[in-house]
Amino acid sequence: MSKYYLAWAKDEEIRKKGANGGFVTATLVSALENNFIDAALVVAKKSVYEGIPVLTSDPEVVKECAGSLHGAPINLTKYVVDYAAKKRIGLPTKPCDARGIIEQAKRRQVNLDNIFMIGLNCGGTLHPLRMREMAADFYELDPDSVVKEEIKEGKIFLVSEEEGGEEKEKWIKIDELEQKGYGRRDACKSCVTKIPTSADLACGNWGVPQGEKKTFVEVLTEKGEAILKNAIDSGYVDIEEAPGKGIEMRKKIEAGMQKLATSWKERMDEVSTLSRSGRFEFYVDALKNCIHCGACKEVCPVCACEADSKCLDMNDERDSYAISMYNMLRIFHLMDSCIHCGQCEDVCPVDIPLTLIQRRFSERMQRHLGYIPGMDVKEKPPLYETELRWSAEAE
Amino acid sequence: MGKSEGEEWEPKILAFCCNWCSYAGADAAGLERRQVPPTIRVIRVMCSGRIDPAFVLMGLLEGADAVLVTGCHIGDCHYVNANNKTRNRYEFLKEFVDELGLEPERLWLRWVSASEGPLFAEMVREVTEKIKKIGPSPLRREWKK
């Protein structure tokens, strides 16, 4: 049930603050005011490098959080888990947030009826540390003076505030930065899910006619239609039918980005050129620094185990294994379900290239199974199935 | 490890046997006085569906050169359909072991019924021969003397 609209916030202030017409903020605010949801989960901006997830029922707080924040690659999935069992919650979701929530629903950790996912089209996020280095080395700005960032038309804009309150804007092409190893995170560079098709609404500026400050909205579910109707009825949002040209344009942008992502995926895969024993050496070497802190498990939007998880339980620091049980089990358990969000690498205190490792293991299994995790809540994770769907004649 | 010059290297093979079929199959091989290579270490489980993939991975990490999972033929499971689950997990393990950079021959799944003693002996011989050819597992850690 896909319906396409152009939408914008009627409130001037919200419209000005939002990245593309303030539709997402206005929808959340109206849902909160009409008691359509009990709380909203938004990311509050601390600086361009830091965002904090805030669970609030105060519309004013939601209004303050308007606008995009590329330097805070947070996955909101785990923050929803405890709350959404009993109360209704609305939140903006990147494709990886939406996929994570769907995976949690498959594992019966959340009640999907209670969650309203306002999806955001996503071209990628930046790692805060890389971004600071980038600001200093390429933009020649003091990283702490950067007050605004924006990604548009294939360029990253950084705005810094100089002494005396003067604002200075600089931009560099994303491609140029990424050739040198900066720019978006590795997981984002190679991500092909640019439109959150498993959310309730998919919003973004792709397909909006040039110069107009509106949001292109795709309605994906009945829940999405309900929350949109609520926003229109309460007078917060105005919509118009999306022009056919815009729909085509959006598809074209998505396809272009997917093509780029696929080529990045091949370029960044340093393991594919190695021999079998080289691959083994690579994995042993990459994982040998692991201190088993469990941070990657804690943030993983797919993992539903709690403190007594098998991976930590079966791991013993005294073992002298080439690869620890913790890593073996983590990788094994995610083979069918990894959504390649890269959260594990972001939080790793010893910088293990987990994005690449998890992708290597899970992608080939998912390809064999013809299974894409986080898309359809009715599809059970294949590891839990009694019968595999692909013919697998045992030797 | 305690190996003198000129002595042939003997692999260590870890076998999980289902109580209702392959364990009895191994027993039958003995009753018939069939030669089974001494490379095999058998762990009896109540069903092949009880074998958590973690057991197999731990076996490999502990120094097994190959892990052999055996169970009842599909449709004969003592617990309705648990061996279908075994087969499912095996497919995951197969991909995992291959991607990790171990030879695919280090992981085996075979269906052996209680009456198939000769088949059991033959299977162990086959696995031992294959593993002798590819050598010790790189996951194996020898203590330095």
Side-chain angles (χ1 to χ4, degrees):
Chain A
M1 54 169 303
S2 279
K3 288 180 196 158
Y4 304 98
Y5 301 106
L6 289 179
W8 60 94
K10 275 182 166 174
D11 189 310
E12 270 311 311
E13 209 172 302
I14 298 177
R15 197 167 181 197
K16 217 174 115 197
K17 202 160 179 221
N20 308 295
F23 168 77
V24 176
T25 311
T27 308
L28 282 174
V29 167
S30 70
L32 268 179
E33 286 194 344
N34 294 346
N35 225 356
F36 198 82
I37 53 174
D38 296 310
L41 182 63
V42 286
V43 179
K45 185 172 166 180
K46 200 103 200 279
S47 73
V48 283
Y49 311 110
E50 195 180 359
I52 302 169
V54 178
L55 185 69
T56 177
S57 50
D58 182 1
E60 290 307 314
V61 176
V62 176
K63 278 182 202 166
E64 266 169 42
C65 297
S68 57
L69 190 55
H70 292 100
I74 311 172
N75 195 306
L76 294 174
T77 308
K78 284 278 171 91
Y79 298 94
V80 177
V81 169
D82 288 332
Y83 194 77
K86 294 178 208 86
K87 301 217 168 140
R88 290 161 304 161
I89 185 171
L91 72 162
T93 53
K94 300 188 294 298
C96 47
D97 298 320
R99 292 176 72 186
I101 290 170
I102 297 277
E103 282 299 304
Q104 290 290 331
K106 286 181 190 174
R107 288 159 175 78
R108 308 223 173 91
Q109 301 295 307
V110 293
N111 181 358
L112 261 195
D113 295 337
N114 282 348
I115 302 178
F116 294 86
M117 291 187 275
I118 304 177
L120 313 170
N121 297 350
C122 176
T125 50
L126 305 163
H127 192 282
L129 278 180
R130 288 285 101 72
M131 202 170 148
R132 286 183 83 94
E133 287 170 19
M134 212 168 79
D137 297 351
F138 292 92
Y139 289 78
E140 286 162 355
L141 296 170
D142 174 14
D144 290 318
S145 73
V146 178
V147 288
K148 233 164 90 182
E149 46 74 31
E150 202 175 354
I151 302 180
K152 62 182 180 194
E153 290 148 14
K155 295 166 196 155
I156 299 180
F157 289 78
L158 291 186
V159 180
S160 70
E161 205 177 58
E162 302 292 297
E163 272 174 57
E166 207 179 313
E167 288 200 346
K168 210 162 85 184
E169 191 182 70
K170 278 189 181 177
W171 60 264
I172 298 178
K173 278 194 174 150
I174 295 187
D175 216 34
E176 210 173 295
L177 288 165
E178 284 178 358
Q179 300 288 359
K180 289 170 187 146
Y182 288 86
R184 294 170 298 162
R185 293 153 72 231
D186 284 359
C188 298
K189 272 191 236 173
S190 51
C191 170
V192 290
T193 320
K194 300 294 183 192
I195 294 178
T197 44
S198 50
D200 298 315
L201 296 172
C203 314
N205 62 352
W206 308 343
V208 177
Q210 277 256 312
E212 287 185 44
K213 223 178 171 196
K214 287 174 182 170
T215 309
F216 190 103
V217 182
E218 182 182 357
V219 181
L220 291 151
T221 63
E222 277 164 28
K223 265 190 301 166
E225 201 166 10
I227 199 166
L228 179 63
K229 191 169 176 299
N230 171 68
I232 299 166
D233 289 349
S234 59
Y236 265 96
V237 164
D238 233 349
I239 61 167
E240 63 184 33
E241 201 75 33
K245 224 165 138 194
I247 300 170
E248 257 168 53
M249 187 69 185
R250 180 169 176 261
K251 275 207 186 107
K252 226 157 109 190
I253 295 174
E254 190 196 10
M257 286 188 125
Q258 281 170 337
K259 208 174 140 199
L260 185 66
T262 315
S263 83
W264 263 118
K265 203 182 328 183
E266 280 159 21
R267 245 187 295 171
M268 287 192 303
D269 194 346
E270 49 187 300
V271 185
S272 60
T273 53
L274 299 174
S275 66
R276 188 180 285 280
S277 58
R279 210 155 65 211
F280 179 79
E281 292 297 325
F282 174 85
Y283 290 132
V284 171
D285 197 51
L287 293 167
K288 73 168 185 241
N289 286 336
C290 179
I291 56 168
H292 311 116
C293 60
C296 49
K297 168 191 148 299
E298 210 55 49
V299 292
C300 180
V302 173
C303 178
C305 312
E306 285 172 12
D308 52 353
S309 63
K310 198 184 276 174
C311 51
L312 277 171
D313 242 22
M314 290 190 82
N315 188 55
D316 190 332
E317 285 302 325
R318 290 165 297 185
D319 288 335
S320 62
Y321 299 152
I323 300 173
S324 69
M325 262 323 259
Y326 175 73
N327 288 311
M328 292 285 250
L329 282 178
R330 276 267 317 151
I331 295 168
F332 183 82
H333 277 174
L334 285 173
M335 275 175 80
D336 58 343
S337 294
C338 180
I339 57 170
H340 316 302
C341 65
Q343 292 286 314
C344 42
E345 188 172 328
D346 284 351
V347 298
C348 185
V350 288
D351 288 336
I352 298 172
L354 283 163
T355 309
L356 174 66
I357 296 175
Q358 295 284 13
R359 183 182 282 286
R360 285 283 307 178
F361 277 90
S362 56
E363 215 168 47
R364 58 185 283 173
M365 195 65 205
Q366 288 169 9
R367 198 168 44 236
H368 282 310
L369 293 163
Y371 172 77
I372 306 173
M375 287 305 175
D376 186 354
V377 74
K378 290 185 201 92
E379 272 187 4
K380 215 168 146 191
L383 186 56
Y384 305 150
E385 297 269 19
T386 312
E387 288 279 357
L388 277 189
R389 267 158 290 162
W390 48 302
S391 70
E393 274 315 306
E395 215 183 316
Chain B
M1 275 212 296
K3 191 177 68 177
S4 57
E5 285 290 319
E7 202 180 316
E8 204 190 347
W9 171 73
E10 287 288 334
K12 279 185 193 155
I13 295 160
L14 177 65
F16 289 100
C17 292
C18 161
N19 180 52
W20 304 104
C21 52
S22 47
Y23 191 77
D27 215 20
L31 281 174
E32 289 174 26
R33 310 229 177 274
R34 304 226 173 230
Q35 274 293 317
V36 178
T39 51
I40 190 168
R41 275 82 168 156
V42 175
I43 294 178
R44 181 174 64 158
V45 286
M46 286 309 281
C47 175
S48 59
R50 175 66 185 88
I51 304 162
D52 191 309
F55 300 172
V56 176
L57 298 180
M58 200 173 232
L60 287 169
L61 290 172
E62 285 282 355
D65 295 305
V67 176
L68 179 54
V69 176
T70 58
C72 307
H73 290 271
I74 292 291
D76 289 353
C77 185
H78 197 75
Y79 306 98
V80 188
N81 61 2
N83 54 4
N84 289 66
K85 295 174 187 165
T86 313
R87 186 167 66 176
N88 184 347
R89 289 166 198 155
Y90 169 75
E91 294 301 335
F92 277 83
L93 277 169
K94 205 167 74 175
E95 290 285 320
F96 182 87
V97 164
D98 191 32
E99 177 57 40
L100 191 63
L102 299 177
E103 295 79 358
E105 290 90 353
R106 300 213 185 270
L107 186 68
W108 297 71
L109 175 70
R110 282 291 172 90
W111 308 130
V112 181
S113 81
S115 59
E116 291 173 329
L119 191 98
F120 187 88
E122 183 50 46
M123 175 185 72
V124 178
R125 260 200 297 280
E126 189 193 336
V127 177
T128 309
E129 251 168 54
K130 280 253 170 76
I131 299 302
K132 270 187 180 165
K133 232 178 264 169
I134 58 175
S137 159
L139 274 175
R140 194 168 170 163
R141 287 276 164 97
E142 304 278 355
W143 293 104
K144 289 207 178 75
K145 276 188 195 140

